[in-house]
C-alpha cells in the first residue's frame, strides 16, 4: 500500500453524516487498494455525536475516478 498523501493533495470523494456509509466506503476502497482519509472527525466529536456536521472522505486525485466508480457500483451516494 502506498504512503498516504498530504491531505491538501487529496480530493473529496464523498460527504455524509452517516458514519456507516463512511465505514463501508473505506472498506470498499481498501479492498481496491485505494488509500483514503476521513476528515472532520473531530467536528463530529465536538457536536456531541448528533450527526449535524458531515464527515468527508478524501482520496488522492490520481485515484479519484476509480474511487467514484467503486462508490457508484455499490450505490453509495457521494453527497456532494
Amino acid at each position: 500500500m502506498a504512503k498516504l498523501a498530504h491531505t491538501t493533495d487529496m480530493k473529496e470523494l464523498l460527504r455524509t453524516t452517516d458514519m456507516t456509509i463512511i465505514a463501508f466506503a473505506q472498506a470498499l476502497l481498501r479492498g481496491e487498494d485505494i488509500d483514503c482519509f476521513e476528515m472532520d472527525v473531530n467536528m463530529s466529536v465536538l457536536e456531541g455525536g448528533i450527526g449535524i456536521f458531515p464527515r468527508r472522505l478524501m482520496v488522492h486525485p490520481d485515484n479519484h475516478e476509480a474511487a467514484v466508480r467503486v462508490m457508484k457500483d455499490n450505490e453509495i451516494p457521494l453527497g456532494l
Side-chain angles (χ1 to χ4, degrees):
M1 194 176 284
K3 185 177 179 183
L4 194 58
H6 191 272
T7 55
T8 58
D9 298 332
M10 299 183 86
K11 188 171 179 179
E12 185 174 340
L13 174 64
L14 69 88
R15 181 183 301 213
T16 183
T17 57
D18 188 337
M19 292 183 291
T20 60
I21 289 176
I22 292 281
F24 183 48
Q26 287 175 318
L28 290 170
L29 293 172
R30 281 189 210 109
E32 298 291 327
D33 289 325
I34 299 174
D35 289 325
C36 60
F37 181 79
E38 185 179 355
M39 292 188 66
D40 306 317
V41 176
N42 292 333
M43 285 303 294
S44 65
V45 170
L46 290 174
E47 74 179 7
I50 58 175
I52 58 171
F53 293 115
R55 293 183 184 190
R56 295 176 291 162
L57 196 59
M58 312 294 283
V59 295
H60 191 276
D62 292 345
N63 296 327
H64 190 265
E65 188 175 314
V68 167
R69 201 168 32 254
V70 170
M71 298 299 106
K72 287 183 178 179
D73 288 349
N74 288 279
E75 300 178 0
I76 295 177
L78 300 179
L80 301 174

